[in-house]
Amino acid sequence: IHHSSYTPVLLAMDRCHMILCKLFQHIITLHALKRFHLNNVIGNSFNSVIQTGMTVFKPKIQKASYDLLKELKKVDYDYTKLTGELYGVQKSDFARQLVEDGIMSGFFNTDVKSVIDVAKGATEQIKEKSVIRKVAEKGDPFNPETNIVLSKNKDLGEFLERQGKIANVLAHMEQGRDMYTAIDLAQEALFDYADLTDFEINYVKQYIAPFYTFAKKNFSYQAENMANNPAVYTAIERVFRYTDKNFVSDKERMNRPD
C-alpha cells in the first residue's frame, strides 16, 4: 500500500490527540473550579513572596491592584480612559506598559484560549443546520464563550491571575524600583505564557505536555532561587514541619500516599 494512503488516517489521529490534550487541560482548569483557582493563587503568591517578601501582601498593594483591574474592566481595558496616578506614574501609562509587556497575558487568555479555538473549530465542522450544531453553539460544555458557568469561571481565574501579577509589580515599586524593572521582575516570577518557541507551542504543548509552560518556567525559577536564596525555602520548610507536628494527626499521616 502506498504511504500516501495512510495520510488521512494519520492526520485524523494527529488532530484527535491534539484535541484530547487540550480537553484534558481544559477540564482540569475550568471544570475543577475552586481547587484550581486556589492552587493558582497560592502558587503565584509563593513566587511573589520569594521576590518581594511580605510586601506583596500589604493591604494598600492588594487594594491598589484590585482597584486598577476593576477600573480597566469598566472601560473594557481601554487604558487611555484611566485617570489618576500610581506611585508617581499616570495610570494610563502604567496600564499601557502592563499590556505591552505581557503582564495581562496569562494562562487563561493563552492556554485556555487555545482550547476555545479547538471547540469552535469542532463546532464549525458540524453541518450548519443540524440540531447538534445548534446545541453546541448554545451550550458547548467545553467552550466558555457559549457556556455561562465556564465563562464566569474563566473570568474569575483571569481576574485572580492578573490581580496577582499587578500586585507583584506594585510591590516592587513600593520597594523603590522603577516601573520597567518591576514589570520585568513580575514576569520572571509569574511568567509570560506567550513567551515560547514555535516548537514548544506547536508540538510540546499540543502533543506532549498541556501544562508545559508553567512546568518549564516554574522549574527553572525555583531551581535558581533555591540556589541563590536557600534561607527562604528553609523557613518555608520549618513552617510546614511545625504545621505537620501540631495540626496533623497520626492517622492523617498514615493515610498519606508515599
Side-chain angles (χ1 to χ4, degrees), residues 48-140:
S48 288
V49 168
I50 291 173
Q51 278 191 336
T52 70
M54 299 304 290
T55 303
V56 72
F57 291 130
K58 282 187 175 183
K60 72 173 186 177
I61 296 291
Q62 292 294 317
K63 184 177 186 304
S65 58
Y66 176 86
D67 289 346
L68 178 66
L69 203 48
K70 292 294 286 185
E71 288 178 45
L72 278 168
K73 284 178 69 69
K74 284 182 180 179
V75 297
D76 198 25
Y77 292 94
D78 182 358
Y79 48 76
T80 62
K81 295 180 180 179
L82 297 181
T83 58
E85 292 187 353
L86 270 176
Y87 291 91
V89 180
Q90 290 293 322
K91 285 185 181 180
S92 57
D93 293 335
F94 181 65
R96 174 179 56 79
Q97 206 61 46
L98 294 178
V99 172
E100 290 182 356
D101 288 351
I103 289 293
M104 307 302 285
S105 174
F107 175 80
F108 284 90
N109 62 346
T110 53
D111 288 30
V112 172
K113 184 179 180 300
S114 67
V115 179
I116 295 173
D117 292 339
V118 169
K120 281 183 177 179
T123 300
E124 288 170 358
Q125 291 181 23
I126 302 172
K127 289 183 179 180
E128 187 173 350
K129 295 183 179 180
S130 69
V131 174
I132 296 176
R133 175 157 180 170
K134 289 179 181 179
V135 172
E137 288 176 340
K138 291 183 178 180
D140 187 339

Side-chain angles (χ1 to χ4, degrees), residues 130-197:
S130 69
V131 174
I132 296 176
R133 175 157 180 170
K134 289 179 181 179
V135 172
E137 288 176 340
K138 291 183 178 180
D140 187 339
F142 297 107
N143 187 353
E145 291 186 357
T146 58
N147 186 311
I148 189 169
V149 176
L150 293 188
S151 176
K152 296 296 182 184
N153 191 24
K154 175 180 175 293
D155 289 345
L156 173 61
E158 193 172 76
F159 187 92
L160 291 172
E161 184 177 33
R162 288 174 171 175
Q163 192 267 338
K165 284 189 169 187
I166 295 171
N168 181 292
V169 174
L170 294 178
H172 285 297
M173 294 174 72
E174 170 79 5
Q175 293 176 343
R177 298 178 180 91
D178 65 80
M179 176 178 64
Y180 302 102
T181 301
I183 289 175
D184 287 343
L185 288 169
Q187 287 291 57
E188 179 184 306
L190 302 179
F191 319 134
D192 181 355
Y193 281 81
D195 181 27
L196 293 174
T197 66

Side-chain angles (χ1 to χ4, degrees), residues 2-3 14 19-20 89 96 101 109 118 153-154 201-203 207 211 217 247 252:
H2 195 273
H3 179 268
D14 175 81
I19 290 174
L20 288 174
V89 180
R96 174 179 56 79
D101 288 351
N109 62 346
V118 169
N153 191 24
K154 175 180 175 293
I201 294 172
N202 296 323
Y203 294 97
Y207 302 109
F211 294 99
K217 292 178 179 289
F247 299 101
E252 288 174 318

Side-chain angles (χ1 to χ4, degrees), residues 4 7 34 46 59 69 76 108 148 153 176 201 219 227 235 249 255:
S4 62
T7 301
K34 295 179 181 178
F46 177 79
L69 203 48
D76 198 25
F108 284 90
I148 189 169
N153 191 24
I201 294 172
F219 177 80
S249 67
N255 291 331

